[in-house]
Amino acid sequence: DADQWLHDDDLVLGINLDGVARAYPYQIMVWHEIVNDNVAGIPILITYCPLCETGIAFERSVSGQPIEFGVSGLLFNSNLVMYDRMTDSLWQQAAGKAIVGELTGNRLKQLPIDTLPWKEWKSLYPVTKVLSKDTGFIRSYGEDPYKDYDSLDSIYFPLKHHDSRLHPKEIVYGIDVNGRSKAYREDDLKKAKLIEDNVNSARIIIERTDLGIVRAKIKETEEPIVPLRSFWFSWAAFHPETELYSK
């Protein structure tokens, strides 16, 4: 059914939990930004900030209690600020952290999520379920309200920190290792496919498959690291001390 309105090159946010695959098309996410869902019995939160190009998945539980989230309409560092429908606390999408209200200081567990063209996602998961356009709202799904924003130098809203090492809208994958952060250009990952590096005295591996799946881990322990895909300006604004990988 999704093939009737999704084109092969349309981007989706894809998640696979315990063998259950779901796809959340940009066509819908760019308008609504948040989906509260349950996948394989796990309450999850799919979030997308079109201003920062951050598609992030979380477990939407605090102290073992599932909670729902909505879009507050507020921004910090040009990034989506969410609210929970249990306490009305405000949460920063980029960090998955409550920043104002009763739950301040709590963090949501981040889950791996992929940003892929529809053609690539359905080739990996041909029985995937897809978020329907039957949302109960009237929106121009298929039209981008931000148009050419991702190619412009300009950023619409204020930032606490600017970093001119890359074009502000260049796509990077950022990781945190015990309080130290580092960013990897998507173009470098496309060329190298696999990068071994040192971050905060840990040997890490970050790799990208030909289909566009990006995963990272600590080499010695095999401990997974969930990379965050975003515009460079956004990663740098939230990680002002970030390192930037260079070949």
Side-chain angles (χ1 to χ4, degrees):
D1 292 341
D3 276 329
Q4 297 177 19
W5 56 275
L6 273 178
H7 301 108
D8 281 350
D9 59 351
D10 284 344
L11 291 178
V12 302
L13 294 171
I15 192 165
N16 177 35
L17 289 179
D18 295 335
V20 179
R22 299 263 172 97
Y24 306 85
Y26 268 35
Q27 282 194 30
I28 302 173
M29 297 302 297
V30 73
W31 292 97
H32 295 286
E33 301 185 5
I34 284 178
V35 175
N36 295 281
D37 205 352
N38 289 277
V39 178
I42 302 170
I44 69 167
L45 179 67
I46 305 296
T47 66
Y48 175 62
C49 177
L51 293 172
C52 296
E53 193 58 20
T54 42
I56 312 175
F58 303 99
E59 284 191 24
R60 54 179 179 88
S61 298
V62 175
S63 300
Q65 181 174 358
I67 54 177
E68 289 190 347
F69 287 80
V71 179
S72 73
L74 303 173
L75 297 170
F76 177 68
N77 274 335
S78 203
N79 181 246
L80 164 67
V81 174
M82 314 179 291
Y83 74 95
D84 71 73
R85 292 173 177 159
M86 182 173 69
T87 70
D88 286 334
S89 299
L90 298 177
W91 297 70
Q92 190 69 62
Q93 185 235 14
K97 181 179 180 180
I99 53 176
V100 176
E102 180 182 333
L103 295 179
T104 295
N106 280 273
R107 283 183 181 269
L108 301 175
K109 180 183 177 182
Q110 190 176 341
L111 300 170
I113 193 167
D114 301 300
T115 301
L116 296 180
W118 169 235
K119 178 181 179 180
E120 310 296 1
W121 182 257
K122 68 182 178 180
S123 72
L124 287 169
Y125 304 104
V127 295
T128 187
K129 290 188 175 181
V130 184
L131 181 64
S132 169
K133 290 198 296 182
D134 185 12
T135 62
F137 297 89
I138 299 174
R139 296 288 187 274
S140 298
Y141 299 125
E143 294 183 14
D144 186 352
Y146 298 93
K147 301 191 185 300
D148 57 354
Y149 169 79
D150 59 353
S151 63
L152 300 176
D153 290 342
S154 60
I155 300 163
Y156 291 167
F157 300 97
L159 303 175
K160 289 191 69 175
H161 176 75
H162 292 264
D163 193 316
S164 61
R165 283 180 286 176
L166 296 177
H167 186 283
K169 305 291 179 59
E170 182 158 2
I171 296 293
V172 300
Y173 284 82
I175 62 172
D176 284 295
V177 179
N178 299 323
R180 293 286 294 276
S181 61
K182 194 161 188 174
Y184 300 81
R185 297 171 64 246
E186 184 176 54
D187 285 347
D188 287 341
L189 285 167
K190 285 180 179 178
K191 293 173 184 175
K193 301 188 186 302
L194 185 148
I195 293 172
E196 286 199 31
D197 198 13
N198 284 301
V199 181
N200 203 12
S201 301
R203 194 69 179 167
I204 67 101
I205 295 173
I206 181 167
E207 56 185 323
R208 182 187 186 278
T209 69
D210 289 337
L211 293 182
I213 303 289
V214 176
R215 294 290 183 267
K217 64 182 178 181
I218 296 176
K219 185 176 182 180
E220 290 81 2
T221 64
E222 298 286 316
E223 178 186 352
I225 304 168
V226 181
L228 190 153
R229 180 183 186 272
S230 74
F231 287 139
W232 165 247
F233 85 80
S234 178
W235 178 258
F238 284 101
H239 302 85
E241 304 299 325
T242 188
E243 299 177 49
L244 177 61
Y245 173 79
S246 61
K247 295 181 289 184

